[in-house]
Amino acid sequence: MTAEMVEPSNGLVIFYNYLWAREYDRHEESGRKARPACVQIIIARGETGTVVALFPLTSRPPRADRTALEIPEMEARRVGLTIPSWVIVDEWNLDDLAKSPHVADPRPIGALSPAFMKRVRGEAAARIRARRYRSVPRRR
C-alpha cells in the first residue's frame, strides 16, 4: 500500500475488497472485486486501531429479499458513483482499515452526508433488532 489510510469517519467512501456473507459462508477469505464501501459505525477505537463496519455500495438493483437504501442522486454524483446506486444495510464487514489488506485504495473517493448516513444507521439498527443481518469479520 503506497498511501496511508485516513482516519475513518462515518460516511467515508473508499474502495474495499468487500466479502459478501455468501462468500464468507463458502470459506472464501477475500472479496472478488474492489467496490465502493462506506464506513458507517465506529465499533471500537483504541491504541491498537479502529474497527469499523463497512457497508457495500452497488449499482445493481438489490434483490427483493435484501434491505437497501437508494443513494440520492446528488449524493451519488458528489461521490462519483453510478446513478442509481444503493447501500446494502442488512450486511457489513468489520475491519480495522489501518491494518487491513482488504483496502483496495486508502484514498477516500468522498463521503456521504450525515443526514443520509443517519438513515443508513437507522435501517441497520432495525435489521439488528429484527435479527436479520450478517456481520462478516475480516481476517488479516
Side-chain angles (χ1 to χ4, degrees):
M1 202 178 308
T2 56
E4 194 172 308
M5 183 68 213
V6 299
E7 183 67 25
S9 61
N10 289 333
L12 190 71
V13 178
I14 61 168
F15 275 99
Y16 181 79
N17 292 308
Y18 188 85
L19 184 64
W20 294 98
R22 66 183 177 274
E23 296 166 344
Y24 178 77
D25 291 344
R26 290 191 298 261
H27 306 288
E28 295 180 34
E29 293 184 11
S30 180
R32 295 182 182 178
K33 73 172 193 173
R35 73 170 47 257
C38 67
V39 172
Q40 170 47 36
I41 303 167
I42 309 296
I43 304 296
R45 185 173 292 188
E47 292 178 17
T48 58
T50 302
V51 176
V52 299
L54 291 136
F55 289 77
L57 307 182
T58 182
S59 59
R60 240 188 200 173
R63 297 184 328 248
D65 65 336
R66 299 305 305 256
T67 304
L69 291 172
E70 186 169 353
I71 299 170
E73 185 175 334
M74 183 183 298
E75 300 239 11
R77 286 190 193 286
R78 189 179 64 240
V79 177
L81 301 172
T82 302
I83 312 282
S85 284
W86 292 264
V87 58
I88 305 296
V89 295
D90 60 4
E91 81 169 63
W92 49 85
N93 283 189
L94 296 176
D95 206 349
D96 180 345
L97 298 181
K99 299 174 184 169
S100 177
H102 309 296
V103 174
D105 188 339
R107 297 169 298 192
I109 61 171
L112 298 170
S113 74
F116 181 69
M117 294 311 294
K118 183 176 180 182
R119 288 181 54 208
V120 171
R121 194 167 41 256
E123 286 295 327
R127 298 289 88 213
I128 291 169
R129 285 191 299 276
R131 291 182 165 78
R132 297 182 51 84
Y133 72 96
R134 294 291 307 274
S135 179
V136 176
R138 298 308 300 271
R139 296 184 185 100
R140 285 172 233 336

